[in-house]
Amino acid sequence: MWPTTAEAAIAIQQELRSQVIIAPTQTPLRSVAGVDAGFEDDGRVARAAVVVLRLPDLTPIAYAVARQPAPLPYIPGLLSFREAPAILAALEQLATPPDLLICDGQGIAHPRRFGIASHLGVVTGISSIGCAKTLLIGEHDAVPDVRGGRVLLVDRGEPVGMVLRTRSGTKPVFVSPGHLVSIEQAADLVLACTTRYRLPETTRYAHNLASHGKLPLK
DNA sequence: GCGACAG
DNA sequence: ATCTTGTCGC
């Protein structure tokens, strides 16, 4: 099921990329899940957390934690193979699947247009978005320094995402659709999940649960 | 060959 | 990601 070599992992991405659908999804969405992962045992085991928030108020309504061995070392472009096994295990523990997934990483803003958000979206069939803290690929102009400021992220002449300022005075985030959402909608949804911090509440809750084993965040 | 390179 | 103190600024 999971590849053991970089070559095999890339082959899987090449095969699944054709299944990615970039198009606006039907709203209103009733829930959003933040997914993230941490590592233990010297990076050989991934510890994932999923926290589901109700929309549009962002109240936590469910969560799950799971751990799975990471089949590959970290290699730029192959991040999903380290985190997806554990994240999928956590998602399976939920009684009800969320309407949307916000991942800590890229969606189609990836060398093969198949970042972790796209991978999770295609495998689960759930709409997904990638919201990364740093750039992997692509070029962009300066981002207006106001909450909501945004500029297109372009790679090889193709629009692949949006560089979004979620808070004035802080570095922007790199948003790209994973599956079943459009670039513009992805940026709007990330903004809708962001309140007083740079990262969306979904990511903050998931990261907190994955690394500190706690949910209370305020 | 020389850089760049999600978490 | 992970190892870690203090420090700057709202």
Side-chain angles (χ1 to χ4, degrees), chain A residues 38-111:
Chain A
F39 294 87
E40 18 183 90
D41 191 22
D42 211 20
R44 289 173 298 217
V45 174
R47 171 177 15 79
V50 176
V51 179
V52 184
L53 308 187
R54 187 213 302 155
L55 285 174
D57 53 286
L58 306 179
T59 300
I61 54 176
Y63 68 85
V65 176
R67 53 187 70 205
Q68 282 292 299
L72 291 177
Y74 170 69
I75 299 172
L78 300 180
L79 171 68
S80 69
F81 294 93
R82 282 178 67 67
E83 307 193 344
I87 292 175
L88 290 172
L91 283 171
E92 290 173 2
Q93 289 177 41
L94 297 175
T96 305
D99 291 340
L100 173 71
L101 253 37
I102 290 187
C103 315
D104 195 340
Q106 319 289 342
I108 60 171
H110 176 280

Side-chain angles (χ1 to χ4, degrees), chain A residues 134-207:
Chain A
T134 62
L135 181 69
L136 174 60
I137 52 87
E139 316 159 337
H140 66 85
D141 294 331
V143 187
D145 193 18
V146 292
R147 170 178 162 80
R150 60 182 72 180
V151 296
L152 214 49
L153 177 60
V154 178
D155 180 52
R156 288 178 260 158
E158 289 177 25
V160 295
M162 206 73 93
V163 186
L164 174 71
R165 188 87 65 179
T166 56
R167 232 200 117 159
S168 62
T170 59
K171 301 190 69 56
V173 292
F174 301 81
V175 180
S176 58
H179 185 50
L180 300 173
V181 295
S182 66
I183 290 178
E184 294 68 24
Q185 185 177 41
D188 290 339
L189 288 168
V190 165
L191 204 54
C193 291
T194 307
T195 56
R196 59 173 306 197
Y197 299 98
R198 176 166 85 118
L199 301 178
E201 291 300 292
T202 41
T203 301
R204 287 167 45 71
Y205 274 110
H207 188 295

Side-chain angles (χ1 to χ4, degrees), chain A residues 121-139:
Chain A
V122 165
V123 171
T124 64
I126 299 173
S127 293
S128 64
I129 294 171
C131 179
K133 299 180 290 297
T134 62
L135 181 69
L136 174 60
I137 52 87
E139 316 159 337

